[in-house]
Amino acid sequence: MTTVSIRNAVKVYSGGVRAVDRVSLEIRSGEFIVLVGPSGCGKSTLLRMIAGLEEFTEGSLRIGEVDATHLPARRRDVAMVFQNYALYPHMDVRRNLSFGLLQRRTHRGLAALLTPAGRAGRRTETAEIEHRVRDAAAMLGLSPLLDRRPSQLSGGQRQRVALGRALVREPSVFLFDEPLSNLDAKLRHEMRAEIRILHRRLRATMVYVTHDQEEAMSLGDRILVMHGGRVMQAGTPAELYREPQNRFVAGFVGSPAMNFAEGILRREGASIRFTRGDASVRVADSRAPTAPASGEAPAIIGVRPEHLSIAPEGYGAIPARVEAVEFLGDRADVLVETPFGRWTMRIASPSAPIEGATMHIAPDADAVHFFRTGAEGERW
């Protein structure tokens, strides 16, 4: 198992485009790290810099004890699984799995074949490659498919072959570049489980890129949320979900997305009130510990859909009109129009109101978030 250390990584393309901006990251041995963010945030560029497919404009990279900043990709002892599988269409599964190892053997030269000892070593190496291929195929359920070509495989099977090709190399670090984005929802769910099981078996260091925050939350030991080439927040899935440090992270992590509204934050004794027009919400002081000691300040409130519930009319309840109801089996997403704007609430299906109904809702006072106004939108 191997650690990865990135210090002040910068990638600037021609024209001054800054794709990665001063990113530092320490990946522990055996850790599963997920880089997540919207398209163009720099996550794939950073992964390619680790792989050696993109050069560092500034900064450094260490893989284990080796300074890999300027090492060519073939010498970094990493294996990459691509979005488009990158399989050889004219080769069967067995050959696709073994090709990288066979090429590595060929590059070491053919001179050894001129001696008996060299030929014996070659046979031993061939047997080792076959052993690795059989083990990887068995682990990924590919044993019955070894004689098929990629065109004869489903999308999920092709992705397993791509995983197996990385696996047989026994690299120090596995890199995944949105490997599930071409699969349908059912296959994505199945392959997420396969990758997680694979990590648990191997305890290998893995770095995974995705734009799908649900995928990131289900896979990562630790997640880096990126935006504009920078790391917005790093932490465990629970930390990102429960305590987002800025509005971007709060809005990106979670599905449906967090509800937001701009208004005024005002301290009232031991509690805090957030108001927008005639509507207001009172919460405990602990939800915004750095709120103004006196007076008021502009702020943004954030409430996750599952932290809203139907409430009786009265103090602190927010009037709402039901615009749409989406049934999702045991739960329902309810879109409501409120004085704070259009919000989504997630409730148990039996409790779902009908479209067009009027009612009152209230947030869980212990689960409200507050953010500052402005470009960064830091948490209060």
Side-chain angles (χ1 to χ4, degrees):
M1 295 190 292
T2 306
T3 60
V4 178
S5 176
I6 302 170
R7 298 290 177 87
N8 295 316
V10 175
K11 179 63 182 181
V12 181
Y13 290 108
S14 58
V17 177
R18 203 174 186 90
V20 175
D21 187 7
R22 299 289 173 192
V23 172
S24 293
L25 172 61
E26 299 291 333
I27 304 174
R28 296 183 291 271
S29 181
E31 190 174 24
F32 197 132
I33 288 286
V34 179
L35 310 178
V36 65
S39 297
C41 71
K43 57 188 184 297
S44 289
T45 301
L46 182 60
L47 190 79
R48 291 171 64 84
M49 291 167 73
I50 298 172
L53 303 179
E54 295 282 357
E55 295 182 354
F56 279 65
T57 303
E58 297 178 31
S60 65
L61 168 70
R62 294 189 70 83
I63 299 177
E65 300 301 319
V66 178
D67 184 346
T69 311
H70 302 296
L71 278 181
R74 68 179 181 275
R75 294 179 55 195
R76 295 195 181 194
D77 195 20
V78 301
M80 194 160 179
V81 179
F82 294 93
Q83 176 180 353
N84 61 354
Y85 318 135
L87 303 179
Y88 297 103
H90 61 290
M91 296 182 185
D92 60 21
V93 170
R94 179 181 286 102
R95 187 72 174 178
N96 265 285
L97 291 175
S98 63
F99 185 75
L101 295 178
L102 293 172
Q103 286 295 102
R104 184 189 298 175
R105 183 182 67 178
T106 301
H107 287 157
R108 286 198 291 268
L110 300 176
L113 295 179
L114 301 178
T115 66
R119 288 192 292 273
R122 186 78 164 208
R123 287 193 295 272
T124 300
E125 192 173 9
T126 298
E128 171 63 20
I129 292 173
E130 292 174 353
H131 176 70
R132 289 195 196 181
V133 168
R134 286 196 303 271
D135 282 354
M139 185 179 295
L140 297 170
L142 295 172
S143 298
L145 308 176
L146 288 173
D147 296 322
R148 296 189 188 181
R149 292 189 177 185
S151 61
Q152 298 171 299
L153 304 176
S154 68
Q157 290 168 339
R158 293 179 194 178
Q159 194 54 270
R160 284 188 174 88
V161 176
L163 283 171
R165 186 174 53 189
L167 188 62
V168 297
R169 291 182 55 190
E170 298 182 354
S172 297
V173 181
F174 288 84
L175 307 176
F176 299 84
D177 189 9
E178 304 206 40
L180 309 184
S181 60
N182 289 334
L183 304 180
D184 61 37
K186 183 176 183 294
L187 274 177
R188 281 201 305 272
H189 188 271
E190 292 174 355
M191 287 304 301
R192 285 206 306 261
E194 293 280 354
I195 292 171
R196 194 64 184 162
I197 292 169
L198 183 65
H199 177 255
R200 189 169 64 246
R201 287 178 179 174
L202 301 177
R203 299 311 304 171
T205 304
M206 295 184 175
V207 186
Y208 189 104
V209 161
T210 180
H211 64 275
D212 185 332
Q213 54 87 24
E214 182 177 318
E215 193 171 294
M217 298 285 280
S218 66
L219 285 173
D221 297 328
R222 193 155 50 103
I223 300 171
L224 270 73
V225 181
M226 295 187 66
H227 181 55
R230 297 186 296 125
V231 176
M232 295 287 100
Q233 187 176 345
T236 66
E239 288 169 346
L240 294 179
Y241 192 78
R242 295 170 184 164
E243 302 297 339
Q245 295 302 304
N246 54 64
R247 182 177 176 178
F248 177 82
V249 174
F252 188 82
V253 174
S255 179
M258 183 180 285
N259 301 296
F260 296 106
E262 293 191 24
I264 300 296
L265 193 62
R266 181 183 298 109
R267 185 177 294 280
E268 295 182 348
S271 64
I272 295 170
R273 183 182 294 277
F274 177 84
T275 62
R276 177 173 174 172
D278 295 330
S280 66
V281 174
R282 177 180 283 184
V283 296
D285 179 75
S286 60
R287 298 313 301 168
T290 60
S294 61
E296 59 186 39
I300 298 170
I301 192 174
V303 184
R304 294 205 180 277
E306 65 270 26
H307 295 147
L308 287 169
S309 57
I310 299 173
E313 183 177 359
Y315 185 75
I318 304 168
R321 183 180 187 278
V322 179
E323 298 292 327
V325 178
E326 182 179 10
F327 285 92
L328 303 169
D330 62 338
R331 65 194 188 280
D333 289 345
V334 182
L335 184 66
V336 294
E337 189 67 46
T338 78
F340 290 146
R342 184 168 284 181
W343 279 5
T344 299
M345 58 188 300
R346 173 165 284 182
I347 60 177
S349 290
S351 303
I354 62 172
E355 294 179 355
T358 58
M359 59 184 185
H360 285 76
I361 62 174
D364 180 347
D366 293 323
V368 174
H369 301 268
F370 290 106
F371 305 95
R372 300 178 188 275
T373 57
E376 295 298 322
E378 302 98 334
R379 182 182 172 190
W380 270 102

